[in-house]
């Protein structure tokens, strides 16, 4: 099992390119099931979850052809089954995103019910309620969701909770429904806008994506298209936080704009100088220690929950005391327990954490529990003294492309090890 061995103390400097967004690539790959024609996607990140999704599409009968490392053409001309198997769904919850497309395209879908995960129960009840509102017959039995609908019907559906993949599943299903669908209290994340852009290029009629009310006029069929996946705002934010924590100066290119304003504002509050161009973001800490910043996670355009662990790591070494409230998931503080192993002063009270900044953390072996928690641990290792060994980094590989290479390009001492040198054990 791979681990990351990190020697703390380097001040990050230099430039890196952002990769395509994992959380846009996954729904957009699933959207290719809605058409019998070829869809070519560019700027795909090279991630475990992207490879898993492509495997799932092949299992369903789609042809998946890599054009180059970051581009793929998918043609779902003859689907051979409407079932997404447990073996695949259990490794990636986002497999639930084939439910809407399969139901809309084939009139039937059978998807293993995603279990919970480290950060929470993560039910999919709103996905199912929305499909029922469109006339689907949905049964959950034997650990599977079984959905049937000869033809989905457009409807007005208000989502109880803002749900990103729930909005995506229902938006995809509605593209082939009879009549018009209005999704209200929809999620506004940029990845939803990117999915709508791709669907409209395929002939869908979607307006309002990126706002809390999305209108989808059903069409008979969707055709092929080409689409470039938008940049990964969480990867960009992760590298900017690393630059701030190490008191360095880093430019991230290929960032697009307007994707992470809430995060940039927090970094400025922490004392960073931020300079944005059309397609790049530069953060300069000028050698200063960050100032503690409070964090309150919320759906977009609020502060993203996927950046909470990274900012907890920043607050662990910042000047002052910060409160962090996690308001999206019920159990997303596991990284706090591992950060405490590095000497962090964190007190958890329900969905609140109080973090008292310390000048220095002490390197130690730690264990990743979920994707963004492991990113927070890597950031802490970059500033801790001596060595930090992060275990179970398969969590990282799901959502970060060549993370250690990108950090090394900025001057960090990070290496992927399988056999641990004696002194580091
Ligand atoms: C998406 O997960 C992202 N994953 C997550 O990123 C991200 O943390 C999350 O949105 C919030 O921004 C992908 O896009 C693949 P939700 P999702 O449905 O859609 C409750 C990462 O690290 N809820 O918006 O599963 C749910 O329990 C991952 O890249 C229901 O109650 O999140 C949660 O409390 C982690 N019923 C809240 O809504 C439902 O039917 C938000 O969840 C659906 C959700």
């Amino acid at each position: 099992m791979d681990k990351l061995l990190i020697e703390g103390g380097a001040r990050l400097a230099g430039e890196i390119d952002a990769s395509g967004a994992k959380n846009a690539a996954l729904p957009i790959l699933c959207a290719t099931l809605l058409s019998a024609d070829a869809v070519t996607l560019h700027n795909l990140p090279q991630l475990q979850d992207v490879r898993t999704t492509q495997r799932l599409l092949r299992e369903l009968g789609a042809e998946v052809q890599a054009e180059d490392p970051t581009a793929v053409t998918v043609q779902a001309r003859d689907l051979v089954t409407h079932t997404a198997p447990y073996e695949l769904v259990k490794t990636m919850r986002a497999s639930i995103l084939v439910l809407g497309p399969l139901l809309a395209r084939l009139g039937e879908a059978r998807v293993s019910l995603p279990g919970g995960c480290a950060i929470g129960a993560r039910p999919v009840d709103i996905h199912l309620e929305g499909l029922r509102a469109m006339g689907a017959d949905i049964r959950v039995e034997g650990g599977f969701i079984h959905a049937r609908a000869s033809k989905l019907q457009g409807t007005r559906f208000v989502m109880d909770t803002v749900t990103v993949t729930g909005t995506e599943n229902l938006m995809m299903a509605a593209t082939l429904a009879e009549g018009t669908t209005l999704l209200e209290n929809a999620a506004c994340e940029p990845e939803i806008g990117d999915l709508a852009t791709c669907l409209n290029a395929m002939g869908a009629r979607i307006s309002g994506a990126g706002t809390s009310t999305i209108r989808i006029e059903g069409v008979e069929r969707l055709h092929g298209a080409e689409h470039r996946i938008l940049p990964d705002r969480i990867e960009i934010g992760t590298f900017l936080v690393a630059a701030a924590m190490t008191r360095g100066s880093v430019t991230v290119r290929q960032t697009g704009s307007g994707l992470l304003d809430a995060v940039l504002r927090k970094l400025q509050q922490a004392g960073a100088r931020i300079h944005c161009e059309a397609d790049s973001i530069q953060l300069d800490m000028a050698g200063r220690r960050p100032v503690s910043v409070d964090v309150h996670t919320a759906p977009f355009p609020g502060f993203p929950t996927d950046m909470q662990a990274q900012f907890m790591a920043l607050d662990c070494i910042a000047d002052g005391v910060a409160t962090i409230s996690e308001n999206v998931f019920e159990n997303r503080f596991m990284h706090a327990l591992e950060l405490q192993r590095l000497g962090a002063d964190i007190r958890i009270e329900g969905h609140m954490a109080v973090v008292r900044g310390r000048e220095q953390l002490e390197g130690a072996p730690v264990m990743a529990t979920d994707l963004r928690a492991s990113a927070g641990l890597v950031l802490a290792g970059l500033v801790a003294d001596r060595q930090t060994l992060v275990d179970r980094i398969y969590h990282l590989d799901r959502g970060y492309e060549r993370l250690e290479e990108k950090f090394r390009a900025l001057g960090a001492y990070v290496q992927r090890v399988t056999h641990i040198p004696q002194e580091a054990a």
Side-chain angles (χ1 to χ4, degrees):
M1 192 183 290
D2 287 359
K3 304 173 195 276
L4 279 191
L5 188 57
I6 305 162
E7 187 80 44
R11 182 172 290 186
L12 300 191
E15 297 192 352
I16 52 161
D17 291 345
S19 300
K22 167 178 88 80
N23 290 348
L26 303 185
I28 288 171
L29 280 165
C30 296
T32 62
L33 294 168
L34 288 162
S35 171
D37 300 342
V39 179
T40 298
L41 303 174
H42 300 276
N43 199 35
L44 272 181
Q46 299 168 68
L47 302 172
Q48 187 55 41
D49 278 6
V50 169
R51 290 186 286 273
T52 302
T53 304
Q54 291 178 13
R55 210 164 72 239
L56 176 54
L57 295 177
R58 287 195 180 96
E59 295 245 342
L60 294 168
E63 286 168 33
V64 182
Q65 180 68 39
E67 305 291 332
D68 66 42
T70 65
V72 74
T73 295
V74 182
Q75 181 156 14
R77 183 176 37 227
D78 310 306
L79 295 176
V80 298
T81 175
H82 58 254
T83 296
Y86 174 64
E87 296 65 42
L88 271 175
V89 175
K90 72 179 178 188
T91 66
M92 187 186 66
R93 315 178 30 73
S95 309
I96 189 70
L97 286 165
V98 301
L99 177 63
L102 284 177
L103 182 59
R105 174 84 187 278
L106 301 178
E108 189 166 5
R110 192 165 168 273
V111 179
S112 170
L113 193 62
C117 80
I119 64 178
R122 301 184 73 181
V124 291
D125 53 314
I126 299 169
H127 298 235
L128 305 187
E129 274 163 41
L131 293 173
R132 285 193 180 102
M134 291 185 197
D137 170 49
I138 307 260
R139 294 206 184 94
V140 179
E141 51 209 14
F144 273 87
I145 300 163
H146 204 155
R148 285 194 188 84
S150 50
K151 183 76 173 170
L152 290 169
Q153 300 301 311
T155 185
R156 173 173 174 268
F157 181 67
V158 184
M159 284 175 262
D160 285 351
T161 309
V162 175
T163 159
V164 173
T165 49
T167 301
E168 292 166 343
N169 236 335
L170 298 177
M171 186 166 76
M172 289 190 282
T175 58
L176 297 180
E178 192 88 51
T180 297
T181 297
L182 264 186
L183 296 179
E184 300 193 16
N185 196 27
C188 304
E189 271 67 6
E191 292 75 28
I192 289 167
D194 203 44
L195 171 61
T197 301
C198 181
L199 288 166
N200 283 340
M202 295 167 67
R205 291 200 193 125
I206 301 170
S207 55
T211 75
S212 57
T213 299
I214 304 176
R215 177 187 169 85
I216 306 108
E217 283 177 58
V219 294
E220 267 309 300
R221 63 181 295 279
L222 295 185
H223 51 68
E226 281 209 59
H227 179 75
R228 179 179 176 79
I229 304 289
L230 94 168
D232 192 318
R233 59 194 168 96
I234 304 302
E235 183 202 29
I236 296 164
T238 302
F239 280 101
L240 294 178
V241 170
M245 289 175 68
T246 59
R247 311 188 188 188
S249 174
V250 166
T251 299
V252 185
R253 295 179 302 235
Q254 300 186 14
T255 58
S257 62
L259 293 177
L260 64 162
D261 292 350
V263 172
L264 298 181
R265 269 198 306 278
K266 279 293 161 191
L267 286 166
Q268 285 169 324
Q269 283 174 21
R273 272 206 298 272
I274 302 268
H275 176 67
C276 295
E277 302 275 353
D279 202 19
S280 68
I281 300 171
Q282 192 218 0
L283 180 143
D284 185 358
M285 208 60 188
R288 291 189 305 271
R289 179 185 179 192
V291 172
S292 297
V293 286
D294 294 341
V295 164
H296 176 102
T297 68
F300 193 90
F303 185 91
T305 173
D306 291 350
M307 285 299 303
Q308 181 256 105
Q310 297 90 318
F311 268 79
M312 185 178 283
L314 180 142
D315 279 329
C316 286
I317 48 93
D319 182 6
V321 182
T323 55
I324 295 178
S325 65
E326 173 52 60
N327 308 298
V328 175
F329 289 109
E330 65 267 29
N331 185 33
R332 204 171 194 177
F333 281 147
M334 261 87 60
H335 41 282
L337 304 175
E338 295 301 305
L339 289 167
Q340 286 166 340
R341 287 179 46 75
L342 303 177
D345 180 347
I346 304 170
R347 201 172 70 249
I348 305 288
E349 291 163 7
H351 71 101
M352 295 282 286
V354 178
V355 184
R356 193 176 300 279
R358 293 189 53 196
E359 278 277 359
Q360 182 66 51
L361 297 177
E362 293 90 40
V366 290
M367 191 164 68
T369 50
D370 61 271
L371 168 54
R372 307 303 174 184
S374 34
L377 296 176
V378 171
L379 298 186
L382 292 176
V383 298
D385 68 2
R386 300 194 307 275
Q387 287 184 336
T388 296
L389 189 65
V390 184
D391 197 357
R392 300 192 177 179
I393 56 166
Y394 56 84
H395 290 293
L396 267 179
D397 294 337
R398 298 190 47 184
Y400 289 94
E401 180 181 326
R402 300 175 290 111
L403 189 76
E404 68 271 21
E405 287 173 34
K406 291 190 176 184
F407 272 129
R408 276 203 296 272
L410 296 173
Y413 306 112
V414 186
Q415 61 177 14
R416 181 179 291 254
V417 293
T418 306
H419 303 293
I420 308 307
Q422 194 48 44
E423 66 279 3

